[in-house]
Amino acid sequence: MAGHHGMVGSALVRALQGRGDPHVITRDRSALDLTRQSEVERFFAAERIDTVYLAAARVGGIKANNEQPADFIRDNLQIQTNVIHAAFCSGVSRLLFLGSSCIYPRLAEQPMSEEALMTGPLEGTNEAYAVAKIAGIKMCESYRRQHGADFRSVMPTNLYGPQDNFDLESSHVLPALLRKFHQAVLAGDGVVQVWGSGRPRREFLHVDDMAAACCHVMELPPGDYWAAVSDRCSHINVGTGEDISIAELAGLIAEIIGFRGAIEFDATMPDGTPRKLLDVSRLRGLGWEAHIGLREGISRTYGWMTEHWENIVVA
Ligand code: GDP
């Protein structure tokens, strides 16, 4: 498991252990820096690893992606290249690469099917990150085509849940709004600022659903997985199939938290892609769909945030 401290990796560890897999191997960053090729090669040569979940990545919200494109493209290309190649060289039997729905063109037809990949220009605010993720999919596909490797890819929509990043500079919208509305209630503020116009639409998936989907995809026999995808379009979308506008999301979070003040939109901040809704029929055809509704998922995440509030505000 690469990335076990992150929101997705930690959910995956919980899910795998819940399915009775006690042999999950993880390493802290201080013991294994995945951006260092020789360290990764040594690690794979020394451990007997059968299956790899590649959930390690540099991730961030619209502001961080827009302002640090070099960091996003470099770290992600390094991590995924090192892990995928070392996994192949050490004879790993199956690998799952986790990407993102931002791989699709900015103005892709909605909902976005897997086939929409590389049919048009990308959204500018996260182009560097998206290019790295597209390279990861194509790398898995290439190892499949050249070497027959069983290297699979899943592309999640916007994820949220426990262990999320609540830092307002680098987080995604859902944890940012949970924090902003909670802080406003604590401070008795009457106004909360939401970035952009509020009109963009996004799809949100709870990370425990994402982890369950990853396990489902990895448990599919090779014949089932490779029959459902194609040689040059081998990834699978993971989402709920439903989206909402940022303004509606802000209203829902305000209601759950009990904020009764005003919501203002800050037009100086970017909107990003106008709409990002995944076509999840490929995954549905393979027998999986999301279970955690948005209201329930937000309430659970709000509970987690308030439990860990002390750590979040000092971070
Ligand atoms: P994206 O899906 O890659 O665009 O990433 P984000 O989750 O960071 O942003 C989604 C949308 O939410 C964008 O239109 C943002 O402008 C909007 N948004 C509104 N308020 C916030 C906020 O406080 N933080 C973030 N990250 N986005 C916000």
Side-chain angles (χ1 to χ4, degrees), residues 61-62 126 158 171-173 176-177 180 194-196 200 202 246 270-272 276:
I62 194 164
N126 52 23
N158 290 35
S171 69
H172 285 102
V173 60
L177 295 186
K180 286 182 183 176
V194 174
W195 296 353
R202 295 288 183 273
I246 298 301
D271 267 349
K276 248 197 286 189

Side-chain angles (χ1 to χ4, degrees), residues 164-168 179 308-315:
D164 208 340
N165 170 15
F166 289 87
D167 171 62
L168 294 179
R179 178 172 181 162
H308 297 82
W309 188 245
E310 302 283 296
N311 299 335
I312 287 168
V313 284
V314 294

Side-chain angles (χ1 to χ4, degrees), residues 60-63 65 101-102 123 125-126 158 167-177 180 193-202 204 246 249 265-266 269-273 276:
I62 194 164
K63 186 168 191 281
N65 267 282
S101 61
C102 69
E123 155 63 26
T125 52
N126 52 23
N158 290 35
D167 171 62
L168 294 179
E169 291 294 301
S170 58
S171 69
H172 285 102
V173 60
L174 199 150
L177 295 186
K180 286 182 183 176
Q193 293 275 340
V194 174
W195 296 353
S197 66
R199 282 192 299 271
R201 300 185 69 84
R202 295 288 183 273
F204 297 96
I246 298 301
L249 177 73
F265 294 94
D266 176 359
M269 295 303 283
D271 267 349
T273 302
K276 248 197 286 189

